[in-house]
Amino acid sequence: MKHYAFGALAALSLATVGQAQENIVIGHSLSPQSHYGVGAQAFIDTLTELSGGSFTGEQAPAGQLGGERDMIEGLQIGSMDVVITSTGPLGNFVPQVYALDLPFLFRDYDHARTTLDGEIGQELLDEIGKNNLVGLAWSENGFRHVTNSQRPVRTPDDLDGLKLRTMENRVHMAAFEGMGAAPTPMAFPELFGALQQGVVDGQENPVTVITASKFWEVQKYVSLTGHVYSPAVVLASPILFDGLTEEQQGWFMEAAKASAAATRAEVNRLEQAGVEMLRENGMEVITDIDKAPFAKLAAESSYSVYTDQYGSEMVDRIKAVE
Ligand code: EAX
């Protein structure tokens, strides 16, 4: 009897929550027009539609609520609802995810997307779920390229001594040390100013981010190194998510999938149109790059950050994905 009464009460309070209109804030580090902005809007539209308007949403773009590491921490303590973030700082919370950050691992977009949409992607979302976060869906940032203000970069020698901002990611830092640069980890919201003031000479990001952030205002050269694929992920706060009904959780997952699809479509578009935009805005685009020496140095210095802890099984499995 007692048990029944408690169950009825719980059901009642969930029903009440379900009826109230709740506004979900979606944080990300880029502009509302960026590939993340488009994805955030798709999340909001899908969630609003599926829930018949009981959930609404708004973006907190451009790192308004902090850098990606801050926002992930916000999810853990419940001060953030949903975040679209690169995996840049995620390995600090879920080290298994470093497997995805290894340089020169993914052959192309198809390889990366097939991996993330399959068994491996699901396993890593589950790992995220064991670390006081909810991994809703894999989204995308894109293949990263090196930009700088000093000189065209064609070979690892050209990176020598270049002060290069990296994400707060141990694999990326080790890779750039190996390739000869002087890596300086920094949160994204500080990056434009640091480039402008010459605190760093260069940075590396996909065409999507370089265009969205107008880095041509502070960078002269872009080398299409494509040295690493940069996944993004749609994360939710467990404090929010665990309080939802199963049906509501389903809406969030669908919204995240729609978000990832919209973002990937925008990545596709910018992979076509973005490089021309960089040229039009005065950047020198370096395309004649022999990737092999970069790949060798990067792998030698960075793969062990992951494999020392977890072995090479996951790396081999990713390589084997067709
Ligand atoms: O997620 O920090 C970075 O360079 C990221 O690529 C950017 O914040 C987009």
Side-chain angles (χ1 to χ4, degrees):
M1 242 352 224
K2 247 187 180 164
H3 182 237
Y4 172 81
F6 176 76
L9 193 65
L12 186 71
S13 69
L14 280 176
T16 315
V17 170
Q19 274 160 22
Q21 200 194 49
E22 201 172 336
N23 192 48
I24 300 299
V25 176
I26 301 162
H28 63 89
S29 59
L30 303 172
S31 72
Q33 292 77 34
S34 67
H35 60 307
Y36 285 0
V38 167
Q41 196 53 50
F43 186 99
I44 293 167
D45 293 346
T46 306
L47 182 64
T48 306
E49 195 189 313
L50 289 175
S51 68
S54 63
F55 287 97
T56 55
E58 70 183 281
Q59 296 189 40
Q64 266 169 23
L65 299 179
E68 292 185 328
R69 184 161 49 85
D70 304 322
M71 290 194 287
I72 295 171
E73 278 166 7
L75 293 171
Q76 292 188 321
I77 61 172
S79 63
M80 297 289 306
D81 297 329
V82 171
V83 170
I84 300 173
T85 176
S86 75
T87 52
L90 192 56
N92 296 309
F93 300 85
V94 189
Q96 288 89 342
V97 171
Y98 276 137
L100 302 176
D101 297 321
L102 297 171
F104 297 100
L105 175 62
F106 292 106
R107 296 181 297 271
D108 51 28
Y109 278 102
D110 273 351
H111 181 204
R113 292 172 184 180
T114 307
T115 303
L116 293 173
D117 292 346
E119 206 175 67
I120 292 173
Q122 189 54 52
E123 279 173 35
L124 291 172
L125 288 177
D126 293 345
E127 279 310 323
I128 292 171
K130 293 177 195 158
N131 289 275
N132 199 21
L133 292 164
V134 180
L136 292 176
W138 288 109
S139 184
E140 187 163 76
N141 198 13
F143 277 92
R144 302 178 79 91
H145 309 295
V146 173
T147 75
N148 83 98
S149 58
Q150 303 294 313
R151 55 184 175 258
V153 170
R154 290 193 175 81
T155 68
D157 282 349
D158 299 324
L159 281 178
D160 197 21
L162 207 68
K163 269 184 282 160
L164 191 91
R165 176 269 180 177
T166 65
M167 298 195 286
E168 298 159 287
N169 182 299
R170 287 176 52 214
V171 171
H172 287 195
M173 289 172 65
F176 277 101
E177 256 159 37
M179 291 187 279
T184 308
M186 189 184 290
F188 188 79
E190 293 164 36
L191 177 54
F192 191 94
L195 291 168
Q196 195 165 39
Q197 288 154 29
V199 174
V200 289
D201 304 312
Q203 63 90 44
E204 45 85 52
N205 251 303
V207 173
T208 50
V209 178
I210 303 172
T211 53
S213 307
K214 299 190 167 63
F215 281 155
W216 50 71
E217 292 178 1
V218 287
Q219 297 279 270
K220 174 73 184 151
Y221 305 99
V222 53
S223 301
L224 299 183
T225 45
H227 51 274
V228 70
Y229 175 77
S230 184
V233 62
V234 187
L235 300 172
S237 167
I239 293 164
L240 166 71
F241 197 77
D242 295 348
L244 300 175
T245 66
E246 233 173 81
E247 185 186 28
Q248 292 170 331
Q249 291 182 344
W251 299 335
F252 274 68
M253 314 254 271
E254 285 307 312
K257 281 188 197 139
S259 172
T263 292
R264 283 179 180 179
E266 192 58 10
V267 172
N268 288 348
R269 190 185 71 76
L270 284 164
E271 281 292 324
Q272 299 293 320
V275 173
E276 205 37 52
M277 271 170 84
L278 302 181
R279 284 202 183 94
E280 279 164 14
N281 286 282
M283 290 187 97
E284 185 178 321
V285 182
I286 294 104
T287 56
D288 56 330
I289 294 163
D290 178 10
K291 293 187 185 182
F294 287 103
K296 186 167 180 286
L297 293 169
E300 279 167 8
S301 60
S302 72
Y303 273 49
S304 59
V305 172
Y306 176 81
T307 56
D308 280 356
Q309 201 170 351
Y310 298 108
S312 56
E313 190 206 337
M314 180 57 98
V315 180
D316 296 338
R317 281 177 65 201
I318 292 175
K319 284 183 179 163
V321 172
E322 297 287 337

